[in-house]
């Protein structure tokens, strides 16, 4: 009935805009679609052009890759104590989670989904997202921010461009570090708004996802490029000053069970060189576990470390990729 | 530093255990109401381009213009089982354009000329209007503007053309720009097992 009313209205509108006689008098010729039989001539209805969504199994594999990355980083960082190996893990993760998966799904953005899921009774998230949100946080309680150092594609990208690490004055460093929490609170507030006004700003202003997808808004791509340029001289500006998930990880990593520590030598006090850390995470000679992003540069710069662990340390190559002492 | 190491260790352990319990509680709460496999989908009954009763006769085009990809991951899809195979297809032709010498509208509706029109079945060459025509959308040319969807929707057409998310193209943004701008909230992230059935397919 309503359909007919709309049809009449449509025809009236067509008639109204008609420049006399120049137009066909359109009317739908059929009420039902013809079948193969009624069409005849051996006609076969073609397959509809649809593509199935990415299979759930593959999404579970993503979680597996993330878990393996966390475990591998924990091992290269805390057991092998090797910068190159840690870097290698992070490059593999950059290739998979960054360039292959094109930046989504990621724990940083999952903050917003979790926030909405906790507040909105009608909103639910998949097991995959829950796992991706929780796994790095749990890891950080036990082995520190291994996610930042070895798994996060955004972190790996910034770690790779760091060629001439310069120091940020500690007071400024600490002050800028609060920005992460401002961003976190803002992101959560905007995410838990009623569905119509909801906005996921972490994803909207993600500076590097455009590089992974090789397309994006020019403003965001420029922001990312600017951060990478700054990142040539200042270690991981996004991670340290903006990343809301980094902020969460930092809070938990303070309580970490194991973390980056110097090799103990009996009867000697020892520490790590503050200059070897491009992220300002070595305070005096002790590592600030909250701010350590698990890059393992300090081991590489430590002469005592080199004596103790005679692993395949290719010093020249690591200098090329921005490791080592300045 | 006169910290009692054992006491500090105990405090740290206590904080660690409570943080772990907190994370566990958050996880348990979310798992309780979780869903399995989800993705961005267009609800055809809500999409202004396709749902019956939308007053305005202008295609919305938000799917074509707001996707983060250069060429939107949304494409028009003709569900052939529900297609009327009309001689003058209101999605293929701009039925308001002037009639050409062949008695058909002189202009096509698709601004990118992405639809192919082929006569099918037992073809009657004497009376072209007496034939059925198949309308295939070239996915590589389509940008998901929805003008054809608008033309095909009821009552002008049978509503066999829909805008659908192409999952081989969609990069699955957490914050989908199309969903943000969709005027009727037809673009939503829902579990695949709760997908809305394609209405035309059921009718046919």
């Amino acid at each position: 009935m309503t359909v007919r009313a709309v049809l009449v209205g449509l025809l009236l509108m067509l008639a109204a805009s008609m420049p006399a006689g120049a137009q066909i008098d359109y009317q739908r010729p059929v009420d039902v679609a013809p079948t193969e039989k009624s069409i005849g001539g051996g006609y076969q209805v073609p397959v509809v052009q649809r593509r199935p969504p990415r299979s759930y199994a593959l999404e579970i594999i993503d979680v597996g890759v993330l878990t393996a990355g966390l475990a591998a980083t924990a091992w290269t960082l805390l057991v092998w104590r090797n910068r190159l190996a840690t870097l290698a893990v992070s490059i593999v993760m950059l290739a998979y989670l960054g360039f292959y998966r094109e930046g989504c799904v990621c724990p940083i953005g999952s903050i917003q989904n979790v926030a909405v899921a906790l507040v909105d009774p009608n909103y639910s998230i998949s097991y995959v997202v829950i796992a991706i949100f929780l796994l790095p946080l749990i890891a950080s309680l036990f082995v520190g921010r291994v996610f930042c150092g070895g798994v996060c594609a955004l972190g790996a990208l910034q770690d790779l461009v760091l060629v001439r690490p310069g120091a940020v004055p500690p007071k400024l460093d600490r002050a800028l570090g609060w920005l992460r929490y401002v961003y976190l609170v803002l992101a959560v507030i905007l995410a838990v708004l009623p569905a119509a006004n909801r906005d996921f700003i972490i994803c909207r202003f993600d500076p590097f996802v455009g590089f992974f997808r090789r397309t994006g808004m020019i403003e965001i791509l420029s922001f990312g490029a600017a951060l990478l340029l700054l990142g040539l001289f200042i270690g991981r500006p996004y991670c340290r000053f903006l990343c809301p998930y980094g902020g969460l990880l930092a809070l938990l990593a303070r309580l970490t069970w194991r973390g980056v520590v110097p090799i103990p030598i009996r009867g000697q006090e020892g520490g790590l060189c503050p200059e070897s850390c491009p992220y300002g995470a070595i305070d005096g000679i002790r590592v600030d576990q909250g701010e350590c992003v698990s890059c393992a540069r300090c081991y590489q710069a430590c002469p005592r470390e080199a004596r103790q662990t005679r692993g395949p340390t290719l010093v020249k190559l690591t200098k090329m990729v921005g490791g080592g002492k300045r | 530093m006169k910290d009692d190491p054992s006491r500090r260790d105990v405090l740290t352990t206590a904080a660690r255990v409570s943080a772990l319990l907190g994370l566990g509680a958050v996880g348990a709460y979310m798992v309780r109401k979780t869903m399995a496999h989800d993705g961005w989908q267009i609800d055809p009954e809500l999409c202004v381009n396709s749902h019956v009763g939308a007053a305005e006769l202008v295609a919305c085009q938000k799917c074509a213009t707001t996707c983060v990809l250069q060429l939107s991951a949304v494409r028009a899809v003709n569900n052939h089982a529900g297609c009327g195979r009309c001689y003058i297809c209101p999605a293929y032709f701009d039925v308001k354009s002037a009639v050409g010498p062949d008695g058909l509208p002189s202009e096509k509706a698709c601004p990118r000329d992405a639809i192919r029109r082929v006569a099918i079945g037992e073809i009657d060459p004497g009376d072209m209007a007496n034939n059925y025509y198949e309308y295939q959308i070239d996915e590589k040319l389509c940008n998901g503007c929805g003008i054809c969807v608008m033309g095909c929707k009821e009552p002008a057409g049978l509503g066999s053309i829909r805008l659908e998310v192409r999952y081989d193209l969609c990069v699955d943004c957490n914050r989908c720009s199309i969903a943000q701008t969709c005027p009727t909230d037809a673009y939503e992230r829902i579990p695949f097992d709760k997908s809305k059935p394609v209405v035309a397919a059921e009718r046919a």
Side-chain angles (χ1 to χ4, degrees):
Chain A
M1 261 194 321
T2 45
V3 173
R4 190 139 306 156
V6 176
L7 173 62
V8 172
L10 185 73
L11 286 177
L12 282 177
M13 286 181 82
L14 280 177
S17 62
M18 197 185 285
Q23 213 173 313
I24 56 150
D25 183 15
Y26 177 74
Q27 237 178 338
R28 187 171 75 187
V30 288
D31 280 325
V32 287
T35 57
E36 286 182 357
K37 206 185 268 176
S38 62
I39 295 166
Y43 175 76
Q44 284 182 324
V45 175
V47 180
V48 180
Q49 314 154 329
R50 286 204 181 92
R51 295 295 153 94
R54 194 161 182 271
S55 79
Y56 196 44
L58 284 175
E59 293 196 4
I60 290 168
I61 287 176
D62 291 345
V63 178
V65 169
L66 176 95
T67 313
L70 291 172
T73 313
W75 192 74
T76 60
L77 184 78
L78 303 178
V79 181
W80 195 0
R81 301 170 71 93
N82 187 306
R83 159 78 184 147
L84 257 194
T86 311
L87 187 67
V89 174
S90 79
I91 288 172
V92 171
M93 290 295 140
L94 172 66
Y96 185 86
L97 295 173
F99 289 101
Y100 168 64
R101 292 294 296 123
E102 299 188 323
C104 280
V105 47
C106 96
I108 309 174
S110 75
I111 294 173
Q112 303 156 127
N113 306 62
V114 169
V116 182
L118 289 178
V119 173
D120 184 344
N122 300 320
Y123 189 92
S124 54
I125 55 180
S126 69
Y127 290 113
V128 169
V129 177
I130 298 171
I132 289 205
F133 173 74
L134 286 178
L135 285 170
L137 292 174
I138 293 167
S140 123
L141 271 177
F142 289 94
V143 287
R145 290 170 65 176
V146 287
F147 172 74
C148 304
V151 182
C152 181
L154 283 66
L157 202 61
Q158 294 173 87
D159 209 273
L160 285 173
V161 298
L162 181 59
V163 287
R164 285 198 65 84
V168 179
K171 268 192 182 156
L172 180 65
D173 193 5
R174 221 162 307 135
L176 287 172
W178 283 102
L179 274 177
R180 294 178 295 192
Y181 299 106
V182 175
Y183 195 16
L184 175 65
V185 170
L186 207 63
V188 168
I189 289 174
L190 286 171
V192 299
L193 287 176
N197 309 321
R198 186 173 290 162
D199 198 353
F200 284 4
I201 53 167
I202 299 175
C203 299
R204 188 174 177 183
F205 299 110
D206 182 331
F208 303 122
V209 74
F211 297 132
F212 302 142
R213 293 177 177 162
R214 287 157 320 270
T215 175
M217 281 169 67
I218 189 72
E219 299 90 332
I220 305 292
L221 286 172
S222 322
F223 174 47
L227 274 179
L228 285 184
L229 272 179
L230 184 68
L232 295 172
F233 311 106
I234 292 175
R236 298 194 182 215
Y238 182 78
C239 307
R240 284 157 78 192
F241 310 134
L242 287 173
C243 183
Y245 196 72
L248 281 182
L249 288 171
L251 291 178
L252 295 175
R254 269 171 227 284
L255 308 170
T256 189
W257 173 63
R258 289 282 154 86
V260 169
V261 284
I263 283 188
I265 289 182
R266 207 174 296 166
Q268 274 184 22
E269 265 298 308
L272 290 161
C273 305
E275 297 81 34
S276 70
C277 180
Y279 308 121
I282 300 177
D283 182 17
I285 53 172
R286 296 283 165 223
V287 177
D288 177 352
Q289 301 294 351
E291 299 310 314
C292 171
V293 294
S294 310
C295 73
R297 279 188 176 82
C298 51
Y299 293 151
Q300 197 192 10
C302 182
R304 197 162 67 187
E305 191 78 31
R307 258 205 322 275
Q308 297 263 330
T309 53
R310 294 227 165 271
T313 43
L314 302 169
V315 176
K316 271 191 184 154
L317 181 60
T318 49
K319 275 198 175 132
M320 272 167 51
V321 291
K325 223 170 134 183
R326 203 153 41 100
Chain B
M1 300 252 278
K2 288 227 51 173
D3 265 13
D4 178 9
S6 67
R7 188 173 170 200
R8 202 168 72 180
D9 284 356
V10 168
L11 283 175
T12 315
T13 309
R16 190 185 307 134
V17 169
S18 41
L20 204 59
L21 287 176
L23 288 177
V26 168
Y29 178 75
M30 287 184 297
V31 163
R32 237 167 27 96
K33 54 171 214 170
T34 194
M35 57 183 176
H37 192 203
D38 62 337
W40 292 108
Q41 291 165 68
I42 301 173
D43 184 335
E45 283 157 50
L46 290 179
C47 172
V48 262
N49 283 358
S50 51
H51 76 81
V52 179
E56 65 271 50
L57 284 169
V58 180
C60 141
Q61 305 212 24
K62 288 280 189 291
C63 286
T65 52
T66 49
C67 182
V68 291
L69 300 173
Q70 300 273 301
L71 197 59
S72 176
V74 173
R75 302 288 157 96
V77 171
N78 190 7
N79 170 33
H80 293 286
C83 177
R85 299 174 175 80
C86 311
Y87 171 57
I88 296 176
C89 168
Y92 179 79
F93 291 110
D94 176 2
V95 289
K96 283 190 218 160
S97 63
V99 179
D102 54 358
L104 294 169
S106 55
E107 280 165 40
K108 290 173 184 168
C110 180
R112 300 168 65 86
D113 198 10
I115 310 179
R116 272 177 293 124
R117 176 178 183 268
V118 187
I120 51 164
E122 285 164 20
I123 297 164
D124 177 1
D127 181 8
M128 289 314 277
N130 197 25
N131 288 324
Y132 285 124
Y133 292 83
E134 186 178 286
Y135 294 92
Q136 281 275 10
I137 298 166
D138 187 334
E139 298 165 69
K140 293 204 174 62
L141 289 175
C142 177
N143 70 346
C145 73
I147 291 173
C148 59
V149 179
M150 196 78 195
C152 179
K153 82 172 173 181
E154 288 199 282
L158 287 176
S160 68
I161 307 182
R162 302 279 183 197
L163 289 179
E164 289 187 13
V165 183
R166 282 279 307 261
Y167 295 107
D168 54 335
L169 304 171
C170 175
V171 285
D172 207 17
C173 297
N174 195 13
R175 176 195 183 271
C176 170
S177 356
I178 302 175
Q180 290 278 329
T181 45
C182 179
T184 51
D185 289 331
Y187 208 97
E188 52 189 359
R189 195 183 186 95
I190 48 172
F192 288 112
D193 54 15
K194 295 208 178 89
S195 298
K196 298 274 162 53
V198 178
V199 185
E202 289 191 330
R203 191 187 294 112

